[in-house]
Amino acid sequence: MIIGIDLGTTNSLAAYYTEEGPKIIPNRLGKHLTPSVVSVDEEGQVYIGETAKERMLLHPESSAAVFKRSMGSEKTYELSGKKFLPEELSALVLKALKEDAECFLQEEVTEAVISVPAYFNDERRKATKRAGELAGLKVERIISEPTAAAIAYGLYQNRENGKFLVFDLGGGTFDVSILELFDSIIEVRAVAGDNFLGGEDFTRIIEQIFFDKHAEIDKDALTEKELRHITKQAENCKLGFSDNRTSGMLCKLGEQTYEMELSVDEYEAKCDELLDKIRQPIKRSLSDANVRLKDIDRVVLVGGATKLSFIRKFVGKLFHNLPDTSVNPDEAVALGAAVQGAMKERKDSIREVILTDVCPFTLGTEVVLEKDNGRFEDGHFCPIIERNTTIPASRTERLYTVNDNQTQIRCKVLQGESRFASNNVMLGEIHIRVPKAEAGKEAVDVTYTYDVNSILEVEIKVVSTGEITKQIIRTNATDMTEEEVKERMEALSYLKIHPRDKEENKLLLLRGERLYEESIGKERMQIEYALREFEKALDTREDSIIEGARRNFKEFLEEIIE
């Protein structure tokens, strides 16, 4: 079976397709969202999702979050003495989603369509695919998040023709896509975005306001646990703005308690710089699509950060149009990915739908340019397939020799937008032999072909001889062979994934421990007593006793939190 997965910076979730449309798959705790957090204890026990997020507040040094921002890089995270690449942490999250799906659907899940930010480059996309393979999933299709959201909106909410813009502000990334819906064709016209702009950055603004208002706090002297506590309270404060004009936070640092009340107007003013950063990708996408603001028929919101009232107001003012929120912004991407999976399976109910996508970055090669003094200067970028070209696409550029008796032409395959080759990402390099001749007499036709699965084929033809060289370009983040996947999975086999059936118990224990540390006096004593009673129930190993104790302990903790 194929499922759709939204592998998010802050939260991840999965969906499957039914005859009634796509449906979200609940996780082992019965919730739709699984926090993209991994935590490892000193015994090698791995916690994923909400349990890991709770444990991170107690043990931040052995927990990791927001690792999606580092996908495709060599950055490592050390958790309890064990090192992980971002894709390995992502694989653990994906594996948990796969297990939850199999438990819920009562059948094996073998394949997934996984979403990525539209502006993810080739390395990041391949790293995401690799994460899926490490999780035991076949991943033939990677779909851009705004495109996935557009599928969910376009197919299941409104079927009218027109142009619409998907505004996707998630936990760690921002994407904007302009699409056109016509009959059964959804055409992506342009994408743009920022891989380092999202809800996490809006949380940091509140953190900074808190420190500005409490200048007596020495930030450098705080422990990692205290910093995590402040971040959590700042996140809660941000969420409070979803329905209110004011929100606040309360932090206990040592023996001191610090409070702050914040109005949405003050908060919005502090976010001006972030809002300016949002405007740039919107302008770029409109320009690339050759579309004016007034041509946009509908603006749809995607991503948890769009729940903020002032973000919705900002979007409304920008487009002079009330944004569409008819699909849950947290769930739209996963729902669309599930539909893409159904398209791949040729489900009868959606077989007539045609979806086109675009190349998110320009693909080209390095060339030399002749200057006014007749000398040549190397290091310049020659675009071959421009960004936002509808894919699959094939483009050809003719390149000439620049030296007498030149016997070789070097083709560097590059991805990026800079006019200087060194500022772009090199995907590969091909060397082609050419006959000796005067400068400019020999030439090669360089053809780039790029498909919907982000596979780039480079064909180079020597014009005078007709000799052709073809190569599939793969970055350092190449697809893994079955042997490599098996080897990497065995390397991670020492990890002990926390048992599904004990997940809720461990989550409640960690929450109780955190609340105990945050409390003082009588309340702390009450929490300790409740913890001991719950632990006694767990020691009995009697399901009926544990179930009742868990229910009572959960109700007790909810009263404490309120």
Side-chain angles (χ1 to χ4, degrees):
M1 179 173 187
I2 302 178
I3 61 172
I5 295 178
D6 176 3
L7 181 62
T9 306
T10 307
N11 295 295
S12 297
L13 63 162
Y16 71 114
Y17 187 80
T18 73
E19 292 306 312
E20 291 77 39
K23 306 286 185 185
I24 298 296
I25 298 171
N27 63 20
R28 60 199 67 189
L29 297 173
K31 299 182 178 181
H32 285 190
L33 302 181
T34 296
S36 302
V37 184
V38 176
S39 186
V40 182
D41 67 20
E42 58 280 356
E43 296 177 355
Q45 188 86 60
V46 179
Y47 303 94
I48 298 157
E50 193 171 344
T51 311
K53 186 176 180 180
E54 194 66 61
R55 191 177 187 277
M56 184 169 63
L57 297 169
L58 294 168
H59 306 283
E61 74 289 343
S62 58
S63 306
V66 200
F67 38 82
K68 178 178 174 178
R69 281 186 166 179
S70 302
M71 286 290 277
S73 74
E74 294 301 312
K75 180 178 178 178
T76 58
Y77 296 78
E78 187 167 333
L79 311 181
S80 294
K82 301 170 179 65
K83 290 186 177 180
F84 299 86
L85 290 168
E87 67 211 53
E88 292 172 333
L89 295 172
S90 296
L92 293 171
V93 174
L94 290 170
K95 187 176 181 181
L97 294 173
K98 177 181 184 290
E99 290 174 354
D100 290 343
E102 290 176 334
C103 182
F104 178 76
L105 299 170
Q106 293 295 292
E107 64 177 287
E108 184 182 8
V109 172
T110 57
E111 189 172 345
V113 173
I114 303 178
S115 67
V116 295
Y119 225 51
F120 256 25
N121 63 18
D122 201 50
E123 290 178 356
R124 292 170 181 266
R125 288 170 185 253
K126 283 193 166 66
T128 302
K129 183 176 181 180
R130 236 181 11 256
E133 292 170 348
L134 287 170
L137 291 163
K138 182 181 178 183
V139 186
E140 288 188 350
R141 183 62 53 86
I142 295 289
I143 186 170
S144 295
E145 290 169 3
T147 305
I151 293 174
Y153 273 98
L155 293 181
Y156 296 99
Q157 301 303 310
N158 298 291
R159 282 183 171 269
E160 77 273 10
N161 296 334
K163 296 181 180 70
F164 55 107
L165 181 144
V166 179
F167 182 99
D168 184 356
L169 186 62
T173 58
F174 171 59
D175 286 323
V176 56
S177 289
I178 295 173
L179 303 100
E180 187 162 5
L181 180 62
F182 181 75
D183 291 340
S184 60
I185 300 173
I186 299 177
E187 179 183 357
V188 180
R189 296 282 301 275
V191 297
D194 189 328
N195 289 329
F196 296 92
L197 174 62
E200 301 283 342
D201 302 285
F202 286 88
T203 300
R204 291 197 190 101
I205 295 290
I206 294 179
E207 286 183 49
Q208 190 55 55
I209 294 172
F210 174 78
F211 284 118
D212 289 343
K213 291 195 173 187
H214 294 286
E216 69 275 19
I217 299 175
D218 183 0
K219 186 177 180 180
D220 295 332
L222 296 177
T223 64
E224 184 68 24
K225 185 187 291 187
E226 288 172 326
L227 289 170
R228 285 286 184 186
H229 173 61
I230 292 171
T231 298
K232 178 176 174 59
Q233 298 307 315
E235 177 70 19
N236 290 339
C237 178
K238 184 183 75 175
L239 295 176
F241 285 120
S242 297
D243 303 309
N244 304 293
R245 297 287 301 170
T246 61
S247 189
M249 57 188 288
L250 185 147
C251 295
K252 294 179 181 178
L253 305 175
E255 298 299 317
Q256 293 291 320
T257 299
Y258 300 89
E259 295 185 60
M260 179 184 77
E261 186 166 298
L262 187 63
S263 72
V264 71
D265 292 333
E266 183 182 359
Y267 179 36
E268 185 178 353
K270 293 288 186 179
C271 293
D272 273 351
E273 189 173 330
L274 293 179
L275 296 176
D276 281 339
K277 289 179 73 174
I278 286 175
R279 288 186 175 93
Q280 299 311 310
I282 292 173
K283 289 178 181 177
R284 190 184 314 127
S285 63
L286 289 168
S287 174
D288 288 354
N290 195 24
V291 171
R292 294 170 295 179
L293 269 178
K294 66 178 184 179
D295 296 329
I296 300 295
D297 298 301
R298 193 153 47 108
V299 178
V300 297
L301 298 185
V302 180
T306 61
K307 291 180 180 178
L308 287 169
S309 58
F310 75 85
I311 292 292
R312 294 189 174 190
K313 185 178 75 173
F314 168 78
V315 174
K317 283 184 177 179
L318 197 61
F319 292 96
H320 308 291
N321 198 343
L322 283 176
D324 187 334
T325 57
S326 57
V327 175
N328 185 328
D330 283 324
E331 300 176 356
V333 170
L335 294 172
V339 177
Q340 177 69 67
M343 289 180 188
K344 190 174 183 298
E345 288 185 306
R346 303 287 186 182
K347 295 285 187 182
D348 289 339
S349 56
I350 54 171
R351 186 173 293 174
E352 78 281 3
V353 176
I354 298 170
L355 173 69
T356 73
D357 210 335
V358 294
C359 181
F361 286 87
T362 298
L363 297 165
T365 189
E366 181 179 2
V367 294
V368 299
L369 293 181
E370 187 174 6
K371 309 299 286 185
D372 292 339
N373 57 11
R375 299 179 64 181
F376 289 98
E377 182 179 89
D378 62 10
H380 290 268
F381 182 57
C382 172
I384 295 178
I385 296 181
E386 297 273 10
R387 71 171 186 265
N388 289 320
T389 297
T390 300
I391 55 176
S394 188
R395 300 286 188 275
T396 301
E397 191 74 26
R398 180 164 290 188
L399 306 177
Y400 294 86
T401 55
V402 293
N403 297 312
D404 291 336
N405 297 317
Q406 186 173 330
T407 61
Q408 185 173 266
I409 289 179
R410 180 181 63 181
C411 176
K412 284 186 178 180
V413 182
L414 303 170
Q415 180 183 57
E417 308 305 330
S418 175
R419 63 193 182 97
F420 297 110
S422 60
N423 293 339
N424 295 322
V425 177
M426 189 165 89
L427 304 180
E429 188 171 280
I430 304 172
H431 294 263
I432 308 95
R433 299 194 65 79
V434 295
K436 289 183 179 181
E438 291 180 29
K441 296 296 184 182
E442 284 292 330
V444 294
D445 284 338
V446 180
T447 302
Y448 281 15
T449 304
Y450 192 72
D451 77 357
V452 293
N453 294 311
S454 302
I455 294 174
L456 172 64
E457 180 190 76
V458 177
E459 177 185 295
I460 303 176
K461 178 181 179 181
V462 180
V463 175
S464 64
T465 67
E467 184 179 348
I468 293 175
T469 301
K470 286 185 181 182
Q471 188 171 325
I472 299 295
I473 296 297
R474 303 185 186 276
T475 66
N476 292 332
T478 59
D479 292 339
M480 298 176 74
T481 64
E482 287 186 18
E483 292 75 17
E484 288 172 326
V485 171
K486 185 177 179 182
E487 185 179 316
R488 291 286 283 277
M489 290 178 78
E490 287 177 355
L492 296 174
S493 63
Y494 62 82
L495 298 172
K496 295 176 285 186
I497 307 298
H498 193 265
R500 287 178 51 86
D501 57 351
K502 298 179 180 178
E503 184 86 14
E504 191 169 1
N505 296 339
K506 187 62 180 179
L507 173 62
L508 291 174
L509 284 172
L510 287 167
R511 186 166 292 160
E513 289 172 16
R514 178 191 34 106
L515 291 171
Y516 174 84
E517 291 190 8
E518 293 176 0
S519 303
I520 57 174
K522 184 179 178 182
E523 188 177 80
R524 172 177 274 198
M525 292 173 63
Q526 290 174 332
I527 295 172
E528 182 183 20
Y529 176 78
L531 273 167
R532 288 183 184 275
E533 289 298 304
F534 186 46
E535 287 169 339
K536 282 181 189 177
L538 293 176
D539 289 340
T540 68
R541 301 184 185 276
E542 293 285 341
D543 289 344
S544 59
I545 295 174
I546 292 173
E547 187 176 345
R550 180 172 58 231
R551 185 169 55 251
N552 293 337
F553 188 47
K554 186 176 181 179
E555 290 174 358
F556 168 77
L557 293 180
E558 287 172 352
E559 289 176 6
I560 292 291
I561 293 171
E562 288 176 1

